[in-house]
Amino acid sequence: MRIEQQREERFMKSFLIDSNDAGQRLDKFVVKVTSGLPKGMLYKAVRKKRIKLNHKRCDCSAMLREGDLVELYLNDEFFPKQDETFSFLKAPASLSIVYEDSNILLVDKPVGLRVHSDRAADSDSLVARIQHYLYQKQEYNPEKEHSFAPALCNRIDRNTQGIVIAAKNAPALRILNEKIKQRELEKYYLCVVHGIPQPRHAVLTGYWSKDSRRNKALVRDTPQDGFHEIVTEYTVLRPGVHESLVEVRLHTGRSHQIRAHMAHIGHPLVGDAKYGGSGGQPHQLLCAYKLRFCFQTDAGALSYLDGREFSLDDVWFTNNFK
């Protein structure tokens, strides 16, 4: 009995739940604070009381509240090493900031930068740069956080420029994720397309599916099994002889939606070879240039953002249409 107690004391780690940890299930929290603890081992640890909540037996579904104490009697191998925790320091801390306050950060992501790293060897990403920036400002320190790290609320393609929203704390992240889900943020894009879309303004409804193997979206005009409805609104701002500057508002947010939907109606984006565009550009001429907060329900701590609009002052590829 004494040997077992010493073993538990040796490997026990405790976490006092704060505002960034509260409001999530116990099992979700445990997965975040460990290095990929397998679900089978997690459930077994709960059954064996090697995971406790407030010194008592608990369920995986228990919702954490501020002030709770979570105790994990797990081997050290299941906890992240310091070099993993601070891996974001390998990325630059340079950002083009559109807006910042104590809860959120709006950043102009440049073309060529991924929002998240897609492999272990690639340490540079937008989220890593944001974490490095906030670490330098002493607004984020992984050693003082249990399960939260500054995170992105939306994402755009690697070769698309534009505004990305980051949350500095967990309450802001939860609110913004819900507002985006309920479509209480309006997102506008500028792009250059081949030809002149007719009519000059339209709200397009289509049906979308993603071919993951080819990383390419498919769009159809009628409902089909496995396809999801998409709504894309466009306005031709500056028609040209061969190309047009177009503003697009996304009513839904599917991967490659603008690129695939505009190509589907016969007007692919200039530079977008994946969807049939050309024009001597190395990538699609597309920018998420404007964002409007238009809350329809209570936004709690972020209510001050309601009605506010943020946009980029200069989008380089629009110069030819002035």
Side-chain angles (χ1 to χ4, degrees):
M1 185 68 175
R2 179 61 181 166
I3 294 175
E4 181 64 23
Q5 183 180 359
Q6 289 176 344
R7 183 181 300 165
E8 289 194 350
E9 289 175 352
R10 179 183 176 188
F11 293 123
M12 192 270 282
K13 289 185 183 292
S14 62
F15 301 87
L16 183 64
I17 302 302
D18 60 19
S19 59
N20 277 339
D21 304 318
Q24 62 182 312
R25 285 169 52 119
L26 174 73
D27 53 356
K28 301 292 186 184
F29 174 82
V30 172
V31 169
K32 290 176 183 177
V33 300
T34 58
S35 294
L37 181 67
K39 284 188 176 181
M41 295 191 66
L42 189 155
Y43 299 145
K44 182 178 179 180
V46 169
R47 290 197 307 271
K48 297 287 188 180
K49 294 192 293 186
R50 299 191 69 80
I51 295 178
K52 297 180 181 180
L53 178 59
N54 298 323
H55 308 296
K56 299 177 182 178
R57 180 192 293 272
C58 55
D59 295 324
C60 289
S61 60
M63 296 298 294
L64 298 181
R65 298 175 297 179
E66 192 168 353
D68 282 345
L69 181 68
V70 175
E71 296 168 307
L72 306 181
Y73 296 90
L74 303 171
N75 291 354
D76 283 346
E77 65 191 83
F78 293 116
F79 295 98
K81 298 178 177 59
Q82 188 175 38
D83 58 342
E84 297 174 357
T85 304
F86 286 86
S87 61
F88 62 86
L89 293 178
K90 299 176 183 177
S94 57
L95 295 172
S96 177
I97 297 174
V98 178
Y99 171 80
E100 181 178 8
D101 62 31
S102 60
N103 293 310
I104 72 167
L105 189 63
L106 305 184
V107 178
D108 179 11
K109 185 194 80 68
V111 170
L113 180 66
R114 298 182 187 276
V115 291
H116 294 101
S117 178
D118 64 346
R119 57 185 184 274
D122 184 9
S123 59
D124 193 12
S125 66
L126 181 63
V127 70
R129 291 188 183 193
I130 288 171
Q131 291 172 0
H132 193 170
Y133 166 78
L134 293 176
Y135 180 78
Q136 283 190 342
K137 291 186 65 182
Q138 299 184 349
E139 292 187 30
Y140 169 58
N141 185 346
E143 292 183 329
K144 296 181 179 180
E145 296 287 349
H146 302 321
S147 66
F148 178 78
L152 306 182
C153 304
N154 65 316
R155 59 189 301 162
I156 54 179
D157 295 337
R158 177 180 181 177
N159 287 326
T160 298
Q161 177 197 356
I163 299 175
V164 176
I165 313 168
K168 292 185 176 184
N169 53 65
L173 180 62
R174 285 193 289 269
I175 292 170
L176 286 173
N177 283 344
E178 181 62 22
K179 295 303 178 187
I180 291 172
K181 180 180 178 181
Q182 298 300 327
R183 302 178 186 175
E184 296 181 30
L185 276 73
E186 295 179 356
K187 293 177 282 187
Y188 295 84
Y189 291 72
L190 289 176
C191 60
V192 179
V193 304
H194 289 282
I196 304 175
Q198 298 293 339
R200 299 290 182 91
H201 173 263
V203 179
L204 307 173
T205 297
Y207 298 88
W208 170 100
S209 182
K210 184 73 175 290
D211 182 343
S212 299
R213 183 177 58 84
R214 296 191 299 158
N215 189 31
K216 187 173 182 179
L218 306 174
V219 175
R220 300 290 184 265
D221 292 322
T222 57
Q224 297 185 25
D225 289 342
F227 281 69
H228 303 273
E229 184 179 80
I230 56 172
V231 180
T232 308
E233 181 178 0
Y234 75 81
T235 302
V236 177
L237 299 180
R238 298 283 190 276
V241 177
H242 302 292
E243 303 167 350
S244 299
L245 179 66
V246 174
E247 180 187 71
V248 177
R249 178 190 169 192
L250 282 181
H251 292 259
T252 55
R254 297 291 181 177
S255 176
H256 295 190
Q257 180 175 325
I258 294 174
R259 299 165 62 187
H261 214 166
M262 296 306 294
H264 179 69
I265 65 169
H267 298 282
L269 273 59
V270 170
D272 192 359
K274 183 184 287 285
Y275 291 97
S278 59
Q281 298 291 335
H283 51 76
Q284 66 269 13
L285 300 189
L286 178 64
C287 177
Y289 89 107
K290 186 166 65 176
L291 178 70
R292 180 180 297 131
F293 295 89
C294 45
F295 301 147
Q296 305 301 313
T297 55
D298 180 40
L302 300 187
S303 295
Y304 63 91
L305 291 171
D306 187 28
R308 299 197 65 179
E309 179 179 292
F310 302 91
S311 61
L312 302 181
D313 294 330
D314 183 37
V315 179
W316 66 273
F317 59 74
T318 64
N319 294 333
N320 294 334
F321 291 91
K322 291 181 180 179

